[in-house]
Amino acid sequence: MRAAYIASTEGFLYCLISFTFSLIAFSGFRVHDGIARFFTVNDAWNVVKAVACGELMTCILLFTFTRLDNIPRSLPLIHALILCAGLIAVRAAARLRETDNNASNYRRCSGTEHIVMIGSTDLTVLFVKLLAAFCPARMRVVAVLDGRPHMIGRTIAGIRIVGAPNDLQPIVDEFAVHGVNIDRVVIGGDETLLTEDALDEVRRFCGLRSIPLTFVRSMVGLSGLNARDDADSEPQVELCPAIRLPPYFRWKYAIDLVVAAIALLAAAPLLIVTAGLALLDVGFPLVFWQQRSGLRGRPIVVYKIRTLQPPFDRLGRTIPDDQRLSRIGTFLRRMRLDELPQLFNVLVGDMSLVGPRPLLTQDQPPNPTARLMVRPGITGWAQVNGGTLLTPSEKDELDEWYVRNASLWLDLRILAMTVQFLIGGQRRTNVAKKTDHTHSVNTGTGSLGLARQAVESRHSQIG
């Protein structure tokens, strides 16, 4: 604005592209989902990441086509700093305003009950926050005890860990000297949190001093909620022994990281066009997510560009599923452009470029050991050999074969076949046909059949 760059063609183009990328980044990092009174450092960090991502994509696109002509090199940095400061300041001010408004809702109680917690657990943290939100003047945790020596002196939820459970008596006496009488002892877990001797000693002392001893679950009304016994739980699927992974997986993610970063930079213009088409077709939000099972079964969040219309119209009537996908959405899905945001999943280590596709928990095969030993991929051996034309069991066998035989050459082959698949459409390959033959005669002459025979051989050895 100082040098009137904003009034020039280059300045207007910069503003337009930066605004577009900012909306995409804010939607991807879900900056708009925050609640003012719960604004935290993590939320501020998400704002910083979203702004940095938006500015980076803007600079890459402009530098690719115009080399940032007539745009000062310091402008993106200044813009990012102002945008970060403004967004964080607005959220901090909103939190301060709501905190002040809610301050009058807290009633001062006639007496404060002082509590000593035993165990630095997640339940302890949640219980402290619950008391602070419900009535901070009525019940207050003044100390936490933990039996691990390296935890003493640290803080949990703002409360200092002052000693071990065996030190309960001197700690209670020390608080009494300073005018703080301990009214209750709460264990942040169940009976297994402490050893039998330690729990008996705590009970003996509390009985001697007439101090109530309770567990967190009984104080929050969950005393009847017990963990299911093994006999009552659902039958577990017997898994085959762990597969010996090829050495390639030791440095596979390093390759994925470099290639994904380069691909993300190169695909930035395509990502803009895809987001623009989705915006015209379905509107906001541009990005949606699904929780899938990743490496070792850990839940991961997979991002995609939204291609389906809302399930309800303006009058609240249900829209049939076959009418929710338009021609634009069909094209984006056909070219797999809606999966471009998954490159960010590769950058953060949740996914790989090539690997078994991540599945919902209920869609996992009966024996998911093989596929869960590696990171799921954006594309995979099953996708390039038939994709949706394959049965779940065929996909499972193809994915297991990939896990056993993965190599750099195989990944390059799969990436090349993915490009061919995008251009020519999906079709069952000879490998998939061999898989079908394996199912019909329970034998196989190809690599997939050998993998199947190896699995059956191991099972026979176990039996």
Side-chain angles (χ1 to χ4, degrees):
M1 294 180 66
R2 179 186 60 187
Y5 286 115
I6 196 172
S8 63
T9 304
E10 294 82 0
F12 176 77
L13 183 62
Y14 173 84
C15 292
L16 178 62
I17 294 177
S18 177
F19 179 74
T20 303
F21 271 127
S22 295
L23 292 181
I24 295 174
F26 293 167
S27 177
F29 286 94
R30 307 188 69 84
V31 174
H32 57 284
D33 285 350
I35 301 177
R37 67 176 180 273
F38 299 131
F39 182 66
T40 62
V41 175
N42 185 55
D43 297 321
W45 177 237
N46 286 336
V47 170
V48 173
K49 290 189 291 186
V51 170
C53 182
E55 290 293 337
L56 181 61
M57 291 189 292
T58 301
C59 293
I60 292 173
L61 181 63
L62 288 176
F63 186 82
T64 301
F65 291 99
T66 67
R67 301 188 64 84
L68 292 175
D69 290 340
N70 295 326
I71 300 296
R73 297 299 186 266
S74 60
L75 177 61
L77 179 60
I78 297 175
H79 182 204
L81 292 176
I82 294 176
L83 190 56
C84 275
L87 292 172
I88 294 176
V90 168
R91 284 159 173 75
R95 176 184 178 179
L96 181 62
R97 183 180 67 252
E98 292 198 17
T99 301
D100 292 340
N101 293 337
N102 293 333
S104 59
N105 297 330
Y106 292 122
R107 295 181 302 170
R108 300 299 298 177
C109 302
S110 57
T112 300
E113 181 177 330
H114 300 104
I115 299 174
V116 171
M117 296 285 301
I118 297 180
S120 55
T121 65
D122 293 338
L123 284 177
T124 300
V125 176
L126 295 175
F127 184 69
V128 172
K129 293 182 177 180
L130 176 64
L131 295 183
F134 180 68
C135 190
R138 184 174 179 179
M139 303 179 74
R140 177 189 173 201
V141 178
V142 296
V144 177
L145 306 182
D146 195 290
R148 293 168 292 183
H150 68 277
M151 297 294 293
I152 298 177
R154 306 178 68 176
T155 59
I156 175 173
I159 310 299
R160 182 175 292 276
I161 301 175
V162 297
N166 296 332
D167 302 326
L168 180 60
Q169 178 177 348
I171 289 173
V172 170
D173 294 339
E174 181 68 19
F175 272 107
V177 171
H178 296 282
V180 178
N181 294 319
I182 303 302
D183 303 296
R184 185 183 298 270
V185 175
V186 179
I187 297 179
D190 54 17
E191 290 82 356
T192 61
L193 183 64
L194 299 175
T195 62
E196 186 176 351
D197 294 339
L199 183 58
D200 291 341
E201 179 61 24
V202 170
R203 284 174 172 167
R204 184 197 65 79
F205 171 76
C206 290
L208 185 63
R209 295 290 183 93
S210 299
I211 299 176
L213 173 64
T214 56
F215 296 86
V216 168
R217 65 179 184 180
S218 63
M219 294 196 67
V220 297
L222 298 178
S223 56
L225 184 61
N226 297 320
R228 295 186 304 176
D229 296 333
D230 293 339
D232 298 332
S233 60
E234 297 179 359
Q236 300 294 322
V237 178
E238 183 179 356
L239 302 180
C240 67
I243 296 174
R244 188 177 185 87
L245 296 178
Y248 172 60
F249 282 104
R250 298 177 183 175
W251 42 278
K252 183 178 187 299
Y253 178 65
I255 299 177
D256 290 333
L257 182 63
V258 175
V259 176
I262 297 174
L264 191 60
L265 297 180
L270 190 59
L271 184 60
I272 295 178
V273 175
T274 303
L277 292 175
L279 179 61
L280 294 175
D281 186 29
V282 299
F284 289 105
L286 295 175
V287 179
F288 81 99
W289 58 270
Q290 289 181 328
Q291 181 170 292
R292 304 291 182 96
S293 297
L295 179 64
R296 300 184 183 91
R298 180 177 61 87
I300 62 173
V301 177
V302 177
Y303 294 95
K304 291 185 179 182
I305 292 180
R306 195 162 67 95
T307 55
L308 286 178
Q309 298 283 350
F312 303 98
D313 59 14
R314 295 181 178 179
L315 300 179
R317 295 173 299 191
T318 303
I319 300 177
D321 292 339
D322 57 350
Q323 298 180 12
R324 295 177 59 194
L325 186 61
S326 65
R327 292 184 178 180
I328 295 178
T330 302
F331 171 76
L332 295 180
R333 287 191 172 191
R334 163 70 179 78
M335 300 302 297
R336 295 298 190 267
L337 296 177
D338 61 323
E339 298 182 2
L340 283 176
Q342 293 175 23
L343 290 172
F344 290 100
N345 288 102
V346 179
L347 290 180
V348 300
D350 289 338
M351 294 181 62
S352 178
L353 291 175
V354 179
R357 284 294 295 167
L359 300 177
L360 297 170
T361 303
Q362 60 269 23
D363 294 334
Q364 293 290 339
N367 188 354
T369 303
R371 65 182 303 109
L372 296 181
M373 290 182 65
V374 299
R375 290 182 175 87
I378 298 178
T379 184
W381 186 236
Q383 279 63 47
V384 298
N385 283 286
T388 58
L389 302 178
L390 303 176
T391 64
S393 58
E394 290 173 339
K395 291 181 181 179
D396 184 38
E397 288 198 30
L398 289 168
D399 287 332
E400 181 173 343
W401 183 88
Y402 169 79
V403 172
R404 296 177 181 275
N405 299 273
S407 64
L408 178 60
W409 169 248
L410 181 58
D411 279 2
L412 294 176
R413 179 185 175 187
I414 292 175
L415 292 175
M417 293 177 66
T418 301
V419 177
Q420 183 181 2
F421 159 75
L422 295 177
I423 297 175
Q426 61 182 1
R427 60 184 179 85
R428 291 176 63 92
T429 63
N430 293 332
V431 175
K433 294 176 181 178
K434 290 180 181 179
T435 305
D436 189 39
H437 180 67
T438 302
H439 278 286
S440 61
V441 300
N442 200 25
T443 58
T445 57
S447 56
L448 185 60
L450 294 177
R452 179 66 177 178
Q453 293 175 4
V455 174
E456 294 176 351
S457 176
R458 285 199 316 277
H459 278 295
S460 62
Q461 292 175 2
I462 296 174

